[in-house]
Structure formats: structure tokens, C-alpha cells
Amino acid sequence: MDTLTIALPKGRLQDQVMDMLTWLGYQFPLGALAGRKLIFNDQSDTLRFILAKPVDVPTYVEYGASDLGVVGLDVLREGKRDLLEPLRLGFGRCRLVLAGPPEVQGRNLRLMPHLRVATKYPNLTLDYFNQQGISAEIIPLSGSVELAPGVGLAEVLVDLVETGITLRDNGLVELDTLLESEAVLVVNRASHKLHLERIQALVNQLSSAVAQRNAGEQADDNT
Amino acid sequence: MGTAIKAGRIPHGVADLFFEGAAEITECERRLHEQFLSWGYGRIIPPTFEFYNMLVTGSNEALQDRVFRFVDREGQLLALRPDMTVPTARIAASKLYDQPMPLRFYYIGRVFRYEEPQAGRQREFTQAGIELLGADTVQADAEVLALAIETLRTLGLADFQINLGHVGFMAALLRQSELDDAPRRRLELAIDRRNPLELDQVLAEYGVEGATAQALRTLPSLSGGRPILAAARQLSTGEDAEQALARLEAVYDRLEQWGYARYIILDLGETRNMAYYTGIAFRGYIKGLGFPVCGGGRYDQLLANFGNDLPAVGFAISLERALVLTKPEVSAAPDMLVSAPAALELGDLLGSLRQSGWCIQSDVLELDEAALIEQAASRGISMLLLTAGEGYRIIRDNTTRDLLRAELEKELSVWTR
């Protein structure tokens, strides 16, 4: 049997996927769990894992270097790669929001001249602004976007928030939500045709794990 | 030079091909010319560039965005051909409509698409394929599929699969949902991405319920052997869907009879190209390649755009993609290197050798024996022929033999047989 390759994003999402697979009975070599190896198989050799930078996961999968992958919906939509996305994994939840200083709140952005927006997500930001009929200059940054309004680089920003604490600490307020994100299982289109049954079986397994986990969360909420 | 352009720099998305790289493409092309001709298809050579409006007729927006456009001196908008099907359709519908039908054409040529290079395919790549025009029959569908399979085999590919569907089935189910354009596009996208969550959301949002909703949920998983046709029949209620399944089954029957069924996966969950294809539609997949290696189908609406309504079915393959997986054995090195004096004396003998298929290079640098041996070695030429005293010397695989002219003639006459 061919080994299916799964691209995982280095970092927090990786740990959560590995937890889920461990819960499903897959076993991993010790070095893999410590995150030292960039490529490893599970003990049964049915799955091979590669660890990639999150933003690169869709590329690995679209080109078929990896059959499947796990990636945040925010990264997936920003990259506009042509992939199948059969399952939401229920973790890594966060929101892509438009934010700015309090004085912007309530203002009609369509009427603001020379609006500048700082973001790590230029494609999604442009889509949103086009959809809203707002003209804006997009200033792409690669991190610490919440700095931008304070130093006069931009009037508003589009960034990912989990709790919103970082925004508040920088004196910013949320203006709108562009996207509710969570971890998504993605599949290469050709692999899906070629390994339909195995991929479907894996999707079903993960799907049951997600359901179990969600049920657990609800139980926690009730107590 | 004084210019900013560095010597040897070429634009992103094109490639310089030479030595083995060029020889491999040439060998693939040679095999395909032979194969298509043997099935009775004649070559069609459309122009490399045409009017932009013509080239994008009937094609989807995504392809229109990827066309290389330019303006000629009269200000007319021209474009490099992004595929061969539309030019072939134009030629057939505007010039050949009164010829005896069916028309069988094949093409092998370079096409141009403004897209990111992927899986061996650059922005300029070689497309080969066939179009069978003027025959709306099961037999025509089956012939194109059979030839697609034979083409993959001819290129040395094995272990591939052809996912075959019929766009009429999904189109019928989508019509049944009675959704407007916008939600329908969302629905198609959800099915296309195999995204059950989004699918359920759209169905719930627009109140699609009952059998139709269930059918749309099941659709993406309708893929496999003959049994999926029975499963599909359970879902379909309309006559259009029935007809699509009947046609698909009839095509499958013929392929089975010809022994091609083992390559075929019936697949009714594919929404791609619904705007373009009107009947059967298929794509070829092979392990090790993240993209389809070939694709095709029936497109009965396209030719009407050019003034004459003709049914048509065809397929295309990009050779560079096929070459990612398997390369024909080619040698860019000649079979024999002949010294300048020997070439001068043996012109007629070498001529008959060349005619019998030998690849012979003669030395134009007028090198001596030692230099010729070195050159042959460095270029992977295994045989050297030169003058030696009254006769000739053959150096082959490090063994040297001296022959008189009569002996050489005798030896060469054996080789030409």
C-alpha cells in the first residue's frame, strides 16, 4: 500500500492534529512528537508527515508533493490554491477582523479619502474592500500589524484575533469580521481521485474524532 | 552591450530546450503523429496567434484571464492560442461544414497560458490531442476515450486512471434544485471543493430539501465502477438525468468490450467545465502527479458560435506533464563520428547508411585521431571511422580494427540491412 503524505503546519495546529491522530490510535516516533524531525512516518507506515511553514502547506498539497494537509482557513483563502476541503477540524479557531482606533468606529469607510489598511492578508483584504465598495491602499506587512495605526502607517488594519486582547492593549477596536477561521483538512485533487477509498476512510476517522471532541466541549460548557 | 538585459535571460514561464530535453519532446511527438495517423486522424495546424475575440469564444472566464494578448499595428487585439480546440472548431465550422462527416483532426503544437508553471508545464507548453467532429454517437465518444488511453500507453505511461462522467447528470440535479445563479454557483463550488459543511449551509439557506438535497449531498461520492450507475439512478428522477446515465453506460459498455474498462473510474461528482462540455467529460490521473495528465469530452455547443452547428468530442494532453513521469529513451549523440578525410572518400557509403537509419556525424574541425577519440568519448559517441594508411580504421568500444575499402564496404552492407 502506498503511504499517504500529510503536510502539517509547524506550531500549534501541528500539536492538535497529532493529538487527534494519537487519539485515533496512530503512533509516532518520539523525535516526531518533540518536533525535531521535519519528515517522519507513523509506526504502521501508512501515513507520512511533513512539517512545513503554515503558509506553504497549500502549495505542497496543490502540487501533489503532499496528498493531504492541515491549514488554517485564513491561510487557505488568502493563498487561493485549488484544493478540496472535505473537513473542518474544529480547532485553531480565530477570526480575521478589520480593526482601528476608536475614533474610526461608526465612520463610513466608503467616504474616507486615502484610506490605508495594513495587513498580512492582502488578498482577503482586497476582496473584502471590493465587496464593500471601499477604496483603500493596502500596505502588506509580515507581522505586528497592530502597530500600524499608532505610528501613522495606516488608518485601519486587518488581522487575525483569537481573544482580542492584543488589539485592546494597543488601543484598537474591532470594526468588522471578514472570516471565521479554523483548521481545515485539505486534499490534492488528483490524490483524491487516485486514493479515493483511503482518503475517504481517513476523512471519516478524523470526522468522528472532531465530532467526539465537539461533544466533549459541549459537555464542558454544560458543567 | 550597455543594455540592462543579461545575456541568456528569458521570461518567467518559458524554457530553452536542447539535447535530451528537445529529443524527448521530439520522440513523443513522433510517436503521437504515428498513432493519430494510424487511427485515421489528419493533422490540423491552426495559426499560432489569432483575433482575441475568436480565441476566447465559448471558453470560460478563467481561461480568458490567462490568454497572452497583444495589439497589432492596426490596433486589433490579437492573442496567442491558449488551446487548440477553439481554433479547430473555428476552422471546421467556418470552412469545412459542407465536407463529408465526420471530420477527424489531430494536432501537436505549442500553446500559451499566463499561469504559474506547475507540474512540468510552463506558460508555453506542447499540447497534443484530437477532435472528432460531426458525430454525436456513443461510438464517437468511445473512440475518443479509447484513443486517449492508447495515447497515454504510447507515451509509456502505465497505472493511470481515467475519471469519466457526464455533465448532463449534475446539470439536471442542479436544475432540480431551482436555485438562482448566485446560490447555484455557491453550490457548485461546495461540490467542487468536496466541502460538505458549505454544501449543507447553502441547501439550508435556500430551503432545498427532500430527494434533491439528498441527491446533491450524495453526488460528490458517486465515483467507482459500474455499480455507481445504479446508485445514481436511485437519485435521479428527471428524464435528462436518465438520458445522461444511459449514454454514460453505453460508452462504458463499449470500452469494456474493447478491454479498456480497467482504466475507467465512473465519476459523477465533477462540476468542472460544466459551462463548456455538454456530454461525457473525463480527466486522466496518474500516481506521482498532483494534476490531471489529460482531459477531454463532448462539446456540442462550441461550433455553433462559429456559424455552423456541429457536434464534437475530443481530448488533449500536455506532453511536458506526461514527461514528468516517464521519459522515452533518447540519445542526443550520433551513432558514429567520421573523420573529415574519411567522410570525403566514403560519401556514397555513408549516404546509404544514413538512409537505413544510422545517425552519422562527420568531423568538420579536421581533427587528428587522438583528438577525434577524445571528442567521441566526451560526447558519448561509441563508434569512430577514419582513414588509416591505404584503408580505414574503425574504433568501437576501445577496440581498433583496420580494414581495406572492400572489407569496409562488405561490413557496412551488413549494417544497412
Side-chain angles (χ1 to χ4, degrees):
Chain A
M1 191 162 59
D2 298 330
T3 305
L4 286 179
T5 302
I6 306 182
L8 301 181
K10 271 186 264 180
R12 251 188 316 172
L13 289 186
Q14 174 202 343
D15 296 339
Q16 284 171 296
V17 182
M18 304 276 277
D19 286 351
M20 195 170 259
L21 288 164
T22 308
W23 187 83
L24 285 168
Y26 290 93
Q27 293 181 314
F28 300 99
L30 280 174
L33 289 170
R36 285 192 300 272
K37 286 179 153 178
L38 292 182
I39 182 161
F40 56 89
N41 290 17
D42 79 304
Q43 301 288 36
S44 65
D45 266 348
T46 53
L47 300 178
R48 182 171 72 145
F49 294 86
I50 56 176
L51 298 185
K53 221 179 141 182
V55 61
D56 293 335
V57 166
T59 310
Y60 279 93
V61 181
E62 190 188 17
Y63 280 58
S66 191
D67 301 296
L68 304 100
V70 173
V71 64
L73 188 62
D74 55 323
V75 174
L76 180 65
R77 291 281 180 268
E78 174 67 18
K80 300 191 188 295
R81 293 283 176 186
D82 186 21
L83 301 169
L84 304 181
E85 40 193 88
L87 189 65
R88 301 276 164 102
L89 293 167
F91 52 77
R93 285 182 199 277
C94 49
R95 288 171 303 123
L96 189 66
V97 302
L98 175 69
E103 55 269 26
V104 178
Q105 200 160 30
R107 285 189 61 180
N108 185 343
L109 295 185
R110 273 186 288 274
L111 304 181
M112 280 177 71
H114 313 301
L115 185 67
R116 294 168 304 170
V117 51
T119 185
K120 282 194 283 185
Y121 299 84
N123 290 330
L124 287 173
T125 302
L126 186 64
D127 286 350
Y128 170 80
F129 277 57
N130 283 341
Q131 205 185 329
Q132 301 284 320
I134 304 168
S135 314
E137 180 189 345
I138 291 172
I139 300 174
L141 295 176
S142 59
S144 302
V145 180
E146 52 286 329
L147 279 177
V151 297
L153 181 63
E155 282 71 42
V156 290
L157 61 97
V158 166
D159 202 13
L160 213 54
V161 299
E162 223 170 310
T163 56
I165 291 171
T166 313
L167 285 183
R168 230 175 301 146
D169 288 352
N170 285 281
L172 301 166
V173 293
E174 284 182 30
L175 302 170
D176 198 3
T177 300
L178 279 65
L179 181 76
E180 304 265 357
S181 182
E182 66 184 283
V184 182
L185 182 74
V186 290
V187 181
N188 173 275
R189 287 182 175 273
S191 296
H192 186 256
K193 302 289 188 196
L194 290 163
H195 308 286
L196 183 63
E197 278 166 30
R198 288 190 57 206
I199 287 177
Q200 202 51 55
L202 187 62
V203 171
N204 291 343
Q205 271 187 319
L206 287 168
S207 175
S208 69
V210 172
Q212 189 81 23
R213 206 188 130 104
N214 289 349
E217 270 176 15
Q218 271 178 5
D220 288 346
D221 289 346
N222 292 340
T223 50
Chain B
M1 289 272 286
T3 64
I5 296 177
K6 272 193 221 145
R9 211 174 76 106
I10 58 175
H12 185 51
V14 297
D16 296 326
L17 287 172
F18 42 84
F19 295 158
E20 277 80 8
E24 282 161 6
I25 288 276
T26 307
E27 171 59 16
C28 288
E29 289 177 358
R30 189 195 62 75
R31 290 186 198 177
L32 293 185
H33 281 294
E34 206 169 274
Q35 162 151 316
F36 294 147
L37 288 168
S38 78
W39 282 63
Y41 286 73
R43 187 173 186 187
I44 190 163
I45 308 180
T48 307
F49 59 87
E50 295 189 37
F51 293 120
Y52 169 77
N53 285 344
M54 282 288 182
L55 278 178
V56 299
T57 299
S59 67
N60 58 11
E61 263 173 55
L63 189 61
Q64 290 177 18
D65 287 346
R66 288 180 280 152
V67 174
F68 280 89
R69 279 169 288 202
F70 56 101
V71 177
D72 71 6
R73 289 186 185 184
E74 283 81 45
Q76 304 196 89
L77 190 56
L78 306 180
L80 297 176
R81 59 188 183 205
D83 76 2
M84 296 288 219
T85 301
V86 174
T88 303
R90 174 186 58 75
I91 295 167
S94 62
K95 300 188 169 162
L96 306 172
Y97 54 87
D98 55 358
Q99 295 297 305
M101 293 293 152
L103 294 166
R104 284 183 167 90
F105 285 120
Y106 83 90
Y107 52 78
I108 300 177
R110 312 286 270 166
V111 298
F112 310 85
R113 291 182 194 173
Y114 201 90
E115 62 190 9
E116 279 313 299
Q118 33 166 275
R121 200 163 93 178
Q122 303 268 336
R123 288 178 171 172
E124 175 182 16
F125 61 95
T126 312
Q127 207 179 40
I130 57 159
E131 313 294 351
L132 174 46
L133 309 144
D136 177 17
T137 61
V138 171
Q139 190 76 3
D141 290 349
E143 174 168 312
V144 168
L145 274 155
L147 195 40
I149 291 167
E150 286 300 339
T151 297
L152 294 175
R153 297 213 293 208
T154 295
L155 292 173
L157 298 168
D159 213 16
F160 55 84
Q161 74 181 44
I162 305 278
N163 281 56
L164 169 66
H166 191 298
V167 298
F169 184 72
M170 171 130 16
L173 284 186
L174 287 172
R175 266 198 306 278
Q176 254 175 36
S177 71
E178 292 177 347
L179 291 174
D180 293 336
D181 277 355
R184 213 174 114 165
R185 268 199 297 276
R186 267 181 73 191
L187 195 65
E188 277 176 39
L189 190 65
I191 294 170
D192 179 54
R193 285 179 172 163
R194 298 292 189 272
N195 183 341
L197 197 73
E198 171 74 7
L199 182 65
D200 282 341
Q201 265 171 18
V202 182
L203 293 177
E205 221 171 286
Y206 294 92
V208 181
E209 288 167 349
T212 304
Q214 195 46 43
L216 287 166
R217 278 195 198 95
T218 314
L219 199 55
S221 60
L222 281 180
S223 170
R226 194 185 282 276
I228 71 131
L229 290 171
R233 287 208 168 86
Q234 306 244 300
L235 301 178
S236 84
T237 47
E239 199 180 318
D240 291 349
E242 289 290 342
Q243 268 178 9
L245 291 173
R247 177 69 170 245
L248 189 59
E249 183 157 36
V251 172
Y252 188 77
D253 284 343
R254 288 186 198 206
L255 291 168
E256 195 168 53
Q257 216 169 325
W258 287 334
Y260 292 125
R262 68 196 164 103
Y263 295 109
I264 305 286
I265 304 279
L266 293 170
D267 184 351
L268 291 166
E270 202 52 67
T271 62
R272 297 250 154 141
N273 296 329
M274 280 195 22
Y276 183 67
Y277 290 119
T278 57
I280 61 149
F282 60 93
R283 281 199 166 89
Y285 296 94
I286 184 157
K287 277 180 193 151
L289 198 63
F291 298 85
V293 65
C294 69
R298 177 165 285 285
Y299 51 98
D300 288 343
Q301 308 294 333
L302 181 63
L303 276 79
N305 293 313
F306 298 106
N308 280 288
D309 198 359
L310 280 177
V313 55
F315 86 92
I317 180 169
S318 59
L319 294 188
E320 287 83 356
R321 260 191 198 167
L323 280 169
V324 169
L325 292 159
T326 178
K327 300 194 190 307
E329 265 193 39
V330 293
S331 168
D335 303 314
M336 187 196 288
L337 180 61
V338 183
S339 74
L344 210 55
E345 290 173 20
L346 298 171
D348 47 344
L349 277 180
L350 297 179
S352 51
L353 264 186
R354 284 189 172 115
Q355 268 183 6
S356 64
W358 279 68
C359 170
I360 300 166
Q361 260 180 12
S362 55
D363 168 39
V364 291
L365 298 176
E366 311 204 13
L367 302 171
D368 64 16
E369 181 168 334
L372 277 173
I373 290 173
E374 198 178 305
Q375 168 144 132
S378 71
R379 294 170 61 192
I381 305 171
S382 63
M383 195 188 301
L384 200 56
L385 174 63
L386 20 85
T387 50
E390 292 300 297
Y392 300 92
R393 175 167 293 169
I394 293 175
I395 304 175
R396 185 180 202 174
D397 304 327
N398 295 326
T399 59
T400 303
R401 286 158 62 219
D402 285 337
L403 305 163
L404 293 172
R405 168 138 190 153
E407 293 170 314
L408 180 70
E409 278 179 22
K410 210 170 143 194
E411 177 126 8
L412 294 192
S413 72
V414 175
W415 293 346
T416 52
R417 254 181 239 152

